[in-house]
Amino acid sequence: MGADAVIAIGGKLRTYLQLGRISNLPTVWTNVLAGMVLTGGPVTLPHVVGLTAALSLFYIGGMFLNDAFDREHDRVIRPDRPIPAGMATPREVLTIGFGLLAGGLLVLGYFAAQGGRQLLAAGILLALLIVFYDLHHKQNPWSPLVMGLCRAMVYVISGL
């Protein structure tokens, strides 16, 4: 692999890290742990790792979709964001965003197959809330409530 290819991969990785707002992921991880502990059930390493992975995928997917749906607003107000700046295409960001939500559902599906259908139902509800928020948060007075419901679902899913 040549130096140009390495630079291109590094640039794309940087763009994806920016789109996913990964610096906020530790808040998701601590919410997973808090949700598990608050239920009083056992906190096992496989469940912590699986739920942390699933809910991280939901979070990052939601951030990608947020940028994809806000691209026209960002073109005017935040032209430095990855889509208006030409670092990623809307189709690319939408595909990755929805793919990450699907990945989160697949991970939850693994745990749901072990006896927790409510877990998968809660994951589907979270995915729908994320998409609804990302589509309608601009100029919507209920947006903070919907965002809060998304975060509350992290606790619910972790508790299930």
Side-chain angles (χ1 to χ4, degrees), residues 138-160:
K138 295 289 187 207
Q139 308 303 326
N140 182 348
W142 296 98
S143 290
L145 176 64
V146 177
M147 182 185 287
L149 288 172
C150 289
R151 191 57 75 145
M153 288 306 298
V154 172
Y155 283 87
V156 169
I157 289 168
S158 299
L160 290 172

PDB file of all heavy atoms in Angstrom, residues 138-160:
ATOM      1  N   LYS A 138     -34.773  19.742  14.196  1.00  0.00           N
ATOM      2  CA  LYS A 138     -34.667  21.176  13.905  1.00  0.00           C
ATOM      3  C   LYS A 138     -36.040  21.831  14.053  1.00  0.00           C
ATOM      4  O   LYS A 138     -37.024  21.355  13.507  1.00  0.00           O
ATOM      5  CB  LYS A 138     -34.135  21.411  12.479  1.00  0.00           C
ATOM      6  CG  LYS A 138     -32.721  20.923  12.260  1.00  0.00           C
ATOM      7  CD  LYS A 138     -31.728  21.791  12.983  1.00  0.00           C
ATOM      8  CE  LYS A 138     -30.325  21.390  12.607  1.00  0.00           C
ATOM      9  NZ  LYS A 138     -29.371  21.681  13.646  1.00  0.00           N
ATOM     10  N   GLN A 139     -36.104  22.895  14.799  1.00  0.00           N
ATOM     11  CA  GLN A 139     -37.325  23.676  14.993  1.00  0.00           C
ATOM     12  C   GLN A 139     -38.450  22.875  15.644  1.00  0.00           C
ATOM     13  O   GLN A 139     -39.623  23.220  15.500  1.00  0.00           O
ATOM     14  CB  GLN A 139     -37.811  24.258  13.656  1.00  0.00           C
ATOM     15  CG  GLN A 139     -36.780  25.023  12.863  1.00  0.00           C
ATOM     16  CD  GLN A 139     -36.170  26.187  13.638  1.00  0.00           C
ATOM     17  OE1 GLN A 139     -36.822  26.822  14.438  1.00  0.00           O
ATOM     18  NE2 GLN A 139     -34.898  26.444  13.413  1.00  0.00           N
ATOM     19  N   ASN A 140     -38.136  21.798  16.350  1.00  0.00           N
ATOM     20  CA  ASN A 140     -39.150  20.984  17.009  1.00  0.00           C
ATOM     21  C   ASN A 140     -39.032  21.186  18.516  1.00  0.00           C
ATOM     22  O   ASN A 140     -38.027  20.798  19.113  1.00  0.00           O
ATOM     23  CB  ASN A 140     -38.953  19.509  16.652  1.00  0.00           C
ATOM     24  CG  ASN A 140     -40.002  18.608  17.273  1.00  0.00           C
ATOM     25  OD1 ASN A 140     -40.758  19.003  18.143  1.00  0.00           O
ATOM     26  ND2 ASN A 140     -40.030  17.373  16.809  1.00  0.00           N
ATOM     27  N   PRO A 141     -40.038  21.772  19.153  1.00  0.00           N
ATOM     28  CA  PRO A 141     -39.932  22.035  20.584  1.00  0.00           C
ATOM     29  C   PRO A 141     -39.885  20.758  21.430  1.00  0.00           C
ATOM     30  O   PRO A 141     -39.478  20.797  22.590  1.00  0.00           O
ATOM     31  CB  PRO A 141     -41.197  22.849  20.894  1.00  0.00           C
ATOM     32  CG  PRO A 141     -42.147  22.534  19.805  1.00  0.00           C
ATOM     33  CD  PRO A 141     -41.312  22.234  18.590  1.00  0.00           C
ATOM     34  N   TRP A 142     -40.277  19.633  20.869  1.00  0.00           N
ATOM     35  CA  TRP A 142     -40.255  18.360  21.593  1.00  0.00           C
ATOM     36  C   TRP A 142     -38.935  17.621  21.443  1.00  0.00           C
ATOM     37  O   TRP A 142     -38.751  16.542  22.025  1.00  0.00           O
ATOM     38  CB  TRP A 142     -41.405  17.466  21.112  1.00  0.00           C
ATOM     39  CG  TRP A 142     -42.747  18.048  21.408  1.00  0.00           C
ATOM     40  CD1 TRP A 142     -43.547  18.753  20.549  1.00  0.00           C
ATOM     41  CD2 TRP A 142     -43.427  18.027  22.655  1.00  0.00           C
ATOM     42  NE1 TRP A 142     -44.692  19.153  21.182  1.00  0.00           N
ATOM     43  CE2 TRP A 142     -44.648  18.717  22.493  1.00  0.00           C
ATOM     44  CE3 TRP A 142     -43.123  17.480  23.904  1.00  0.00           C
ATOM     45  CZ2 TRP A 142     -45.560  18.874  23.507  1.00  0.00           C
ATOM     46  CZ3 TRP A 142     -44.050  17.640  24.928  1.00  0.00           C
ATOM     47  CH2 TRP A 142     -45.236  18.330  24.725  1.00  0.00           C
ATOM     48  N   SER A 143     -38.002  18.176  20.702  1.00  0.00           N
ATOM     49  CA  SER A 143     -36.727  17.499  20.455  1.00  0.00           C
ATOM     50  C   SER A 143     -35.980  17.103  21.722  1.00  0.00           C
ATOM     51  O   SER A 143     -35.473  15.976  21.806  1.00  0.00           O
ATOM     52  CB  SER A 143     -35.824  18.354  19.569  1.00  0.00           C
ATOM     53  OG  SER A 143     -36.340  18.406  18.275  1.00  0.00           O
ATOM     54  N   PRO A 144     -35.873  17.969  22.732  1.00  0.00           N
ATOM     55  CA  PRO A 144     -35.171  17.544  23.947  1.00  0.00           C
ATOM     56  C   PRO A 144     -35.828  16.335  24.619  1.00  0.00           C
ATOM     57  O   PRO A 144     -35.136  15.462  25.147  1.00  0.00           O
ATOM     58  CB  PRO A 144     -35.218  18.777  24.856  1.00  0.00           C
ATOM     59  CG  PRO A 144     -35.367  19.921  23.904  1.00  0.00           C
ATOM     60  CD  PRO A 144     -36.226  19.392  22.777  1.00  0.00           C
ATOM     61  N   LEU A 145     -37.151  16.262  24.562  1.00  0.00           N
ATOM     62  CA  LEU A 145     -37.855  15.110  25.131  1.00  0.00           C
ATOM     63  C   LEU A 145     -37.511  13.840  24.365  1.00  0.00           C
ATOM     64  O   LEU A 145     -37.244  12.796  24.962  1.00  0.00           O
ATOM     65  CB  LEU A 145     -39.364  15.348  25.125  1.00  0.00           C
ATOM     66  CG  LEU A 145     -40.211  14.172  25.606  1.00  0.00           C
ATOM     67  CD1 LEU A 145     -39.929  13.863  27.072  1.00  0.00           C
ATOM     68  CD2 LEU A 145     -41.682  14.464  25.389  1.00  0.00           C
ATOM     69  N   VAL A 146     -37.522  13.931  23.031  1.00  0.00           N
ATOM     70  CA  VAL A 146     -37.206  12.752  22.207  1.00  0.00           C
ATOM     71  C   VAL A 146     -35.766  12.318  22.451  1.00  0.00           C
ATOM     72  O   VAL A 146     -35.481  11.116  22.589  1.00  0.00           O
ATOM     73  CB  VAL A 146     -37.470  13.023  20.710  1.00  0.00           C
ATOM     74  CG1 VAL A 146     -37.082  11.820  19.861  1.00  0.00           C
ATOM     75  CG2 VAL A 146     -38.930  13.390  20.479  1.00  0.00           C
ATOM     76  N   MET A 147     -34.842  13.281  22.542  1.00  0.00           N
ATOM     77  CA  MET A 147     -33.453  12.932  22.832  1.00  0.00           C
ATOM     78  C   MET A 147     -33.345  12.268  24.211  1.00  0.00           C
ATOM     79  O   MET A 147     -32.623  11.283  24.382  1.00  0.00           O
ATOM     80  CB  MET A 147     -32.542  14.154  22.777  1.00  0.00           C
ATOM     81  CG  MET A 147     -31.079  13.805  23.038  1.00  0.00           C
ATOM     82  SD  MET A 147     -30.016  15.242  23.134  1.00  0.00           S
ATOM     83  CE  MET A 147     -29.962  15.707  21.428  1.00  0.00           C
ATOM     84  N   GLY A 148     -34.074  12.796  25.172  1.00  0.00           N
ATOM     85  CA  GLY A 148     -34.081  12.196  26.503  1.00  0.00           C
ATOM     86  C   GLY A 148     -34.638  10.780  26.486  1.00  0.00           C
ATOM     87  O   GLY A 148     -34.141   9.901  27.203  1.00  0.00           O
ATOM     88  N   LEU A 149     -35.660  10.555  25.667  1.00  0.00           N
ATOM     89  CA  LEU A 149     -36.205   9.199  25.536  1.00  0.00           C
ATOM     90  C   LEU A 149     -35.170   8.249  24.933  1.00  0.00           C
ATOM     91  O   LEU A 149     -35.083   7.084  25.343  1.00  0.00           O
ATOM     92  CB  LEU A 149     -37.469   9.206  24.676  1.00  0.00           C
ATOM     93  CG  LEU A 149     -38.712   9.809  25.324  1.00  0.00           C
ATOM     94  CD1 LEU A 149     -39.840   9.946  24.296  1.00  0.00           C
ATOM     95  CD2 LEU A 149     -39.158   8.966  26.507  1.00  0.00           C
ATOM     96  N   CYS A 150     -34.399   8.745  23.992  1.00  0.00           N
ATOM     97  CA  CYS A 150     -33.325   7.918  23.418  1.00  0.00           C
ATOM     98  C   CYS A 150     -32.343   7.500  24.512  1.00  0.00           C
ATOM     99  O   CYS A 150     -31.968   6.328  24.618  1.00  0.00           O
ATOM    100  CB  CYS A 150     -32.585   8.677  22.316  1.00  0.00           C
ATOM    101  SG  CYS A 150     -33.507   8.923  20.799  1.00  0.00           S
ATOM    102  N   ARG A 151     -31.941   8.448  25.334  1.00  0.00           N
ATOM    103  CA  ARG A 151     -30.989   8.139  26.393  1.00  0.00           C
ATOM    104  C   ARG A 151     -31.638   7.222  27.437  1.00  0.00           C
ATOM    105  O   ARG A 151     -30.999   6.318  27.948  1.00  0.00           O
ATOM    106  CB  ARG A 151     -30.470   9.436  27.027  1.00  0.00           C
ATOM    107  CG  ARG A 151     -29.303   9.260  27.946  1.00  0.00           C
ATOM    108  CD  ARG A 151     -28.119   8.581  27.276  1.00  0.00           C
ATOM    109  NE  ARG A 151     -27.406   9.454  26.383  1.00  0.00           N
ATOM    110  CZ  ARG A 151     -26.098   9.426  26.188  1.00  0.00           C
ATOM    111  NH1 ARG A 151     -25.333   8.567  26.849  1.00  0.00           N
ATOM    112  NH2 ARG A 151     -25.537  10.227  25.330  1.00  0.00           N
ATOM    113  N   ALA A 152     -32.906   7.449  27.740  1.00  0.00           N
ATOM    114  CA  ALA A 152     -33.602   6.578  28.692  1.00  0.00           C
ATOM    115  C   ALA A 152     -33.670   5.147  28.174  1.00  0.00           C
ATOM    116  O   ALA A 152     -33.575   4.185  28.963  1.00  0.00           O
ATOM    117  CB  ALA A 152     -35.001   7.114  28.969  1.00  0.00           C
ATOM    118  N   MET A 153     -33.803   4.992  26.863  1.00  0.00           N
ATOM    119  CA  MET A 153     -33.856   3.644  26.281  1.00  0.00           C
ATOM    120  C   MET A 153     -32.536   2.906  26.466  1.00  0.00           C
ATOM    121  O   MET A 153     -32.523   1.674  26.531  1.00  0.00           O
ATOM    122  CB  MET A 153     -34.247   3.704  24.806  1.00  0.00           C
ATOM    123  CG  MET A 153     -35.710   4.061  24.562  1.00  0.00           C
ATOM    124  SD  MET A 153     -36.886   3.006  25.425  1.00  0.00           S
ATOM    125  CE  MET A 153     -36.527   1.416  24.689  1.00  0.00           C
ATOM    126  N   VAL A 154     -31.427   3.619  26.566  1.00  0.00           N
ATOM    127  CA  VAL A 154     -30.148   2.968  26.862  1.00  0.00           C
ATOM    128  C   VAL A 154     -30.245   2.285  28.225  1.00  0.00           C
ATOM    129  O   VAL A 154     -29.823   1.138  28.393  1.00  0.00           O
ATOM    130  CB  VAL A 154     -28.981   3.980  26.829  1.00  0.00           C
ATOM    131  CG1 VAL A 154     -27.685   3.347  27.328  1.00  0.00           C
ATOM    132  CG2 VAL A 154     -28.803   4.536  25.423  1.00  0.00           C
ATOM    133  N   TYR A 155     -30.843   2.976  29.190  1.00  0.00           N
ATOM    134  CA  TYR A 155     -31.036   2.390  30.525  1.00  0.00           C
ATOM    135  C   TYR A 155     -31.990   1.210  30.474  1.00  0.00           C
ATOM    136  O   TYR A 155     -31.749   0.163  31.084  1.00  0.00           O
ATOM    137  CB  TYR A 155     -31.558   3.449  31.497  1.00  0.00           C
ATOM    138  CG  TYR A 155     -30.502   4.400  31.980  1.00  0.00           C
ATOM    139  CD1 TYR A 155     -30.192   5.547  31.267  1.00  0.00           C
ATOM    140  CD2 TYR A 155     -29.822   4.149  33.164  1.00  0.00           C
ATOM    141  CE1 TYR A 155     -29.216   6.425  31.716  1.00  0.00           C
ATOM    142  CE2 TYR A 155     -28.851   5.016  33.619  1.00  0.00           C
ATOM    143  CZ  TYR A 155     -28.554   6.165  32.896  1.00  0.00           C
ATOM    144  OH  TYR A 155     -27.590   7.019  33.343  1.00  0.00           O
ATOM    145  N   VAL A 156     -33.100   1.374  29.759  1.00  0.00           N
ATOM    146  CA  VAL A 156     -34.094   0.300  29.658  1.00  0.00           C
ATOM    147  C   VAL A 156     -33.474  -0.945  29.029  1.00  0.00           C
ATOM    148  O   VAL A 156     -33.605  -2.063  29.559  1.00  0.00           O
ATOM    149  CB  VAL A 156     -35.324   0.773  28.848  1.00  0.00           C
ATOM    150  CG1 VAL A 156     -36.242  -0.393  28.500  1.00  0.00           C
ATOM    151  CG2 VAL A 156     -36.073   1.857  29.610  1.00  0.00           C
ATOM    152  N   ILE A 157     -32.795  -0.761  27.915  1.00  0.00           N
ATOM    153  CA  ILE A 157     -32.170  -1.897  27.224  1.00  0.00           C
ATOM    154  C   ILE A 157     -31.128  -2.556  28.116  1.00  0.00           C
ATOM    155  O   ILE A 157     -31.070  -3.785  28.221  1.00  0.00           O
ATOM    156  CB  ILE A 157     -31.561  -1.434  25.878  1.00  0.00           C
ATOM    157  CG1 ILE A 157     -32.688  -1.106  24.898  1.00  0.00           C
ATOM    158  CG2 ILE A 157     -30.609  -2.485  25.301  1.00  0.00           C
ATOM    159  CD1 ILE A 157     -32.245  -0.378  23.653  1.00  0.00           C
ATOM    160  N   SER A 158     -30.338  -1.756  28.787  1.00  0.00           N
ATOM    161  CA  SER A 158     -29.304  -2.313  29.666  1.00  0.00           C
ATOM    162  C   SER A 158     -29.923  -3.053  30.847  1.00  0.00           C
ATOM    163  O   SER A 158     -29.380  -4.061  31.300  1.00  0.00           O
ATOM    164  CB  SER A 158     -28.397  -1.205  30.174  1.00  0.00           C
ATOM    165  OG  SER A 158     -27.763  -0.565  29.095  1.00  0.00           O
ATOM    166  N   GLY A 159     -31.044  -2.561  31.324  1.00  0.00           N
ATOM    167  CA  GLY A 159     -31.725  -3.228  32.427  1.00  0.00           C
ATOM    168  C   GLY A 159     -32.399  -4.530  32.019  1.00  0.00           C
ATOM    169  O   GLY A 159     -32.530  -5.444  32.826  1.00  0.00           O
ATOM    170  N   LEU A 160     -32.832  -4.604  30.771  1.00  0.00           N
ATOM    171  CA  LEU A 160     -33.486  -5.832  30.293  1.00  0.00           C
ATOM    172  C   LEU A 160     -32.474  -6.953  30.136  1.00  0.00           C
ATOM    173  O   LEU A 160     -32.785  -8.104  30.222  1.00  0.00           O
ATOM    174  CB  LEU A 160     -34.205  -5.571  28.961  1.00  0.00           C
ATOM    175  CG  LEU A 160     -35.452  -4.696  29.052  1.00  0.00           C
ATOM    176  CD1 LEU A 160     -35.946  -4.351  27.646  1.00  0.00           C
ATOM    177  CD2 LEU A 160     -36.561  -5.431  29.814  1.00  0.00           C
TER     178      LEU A 160
END
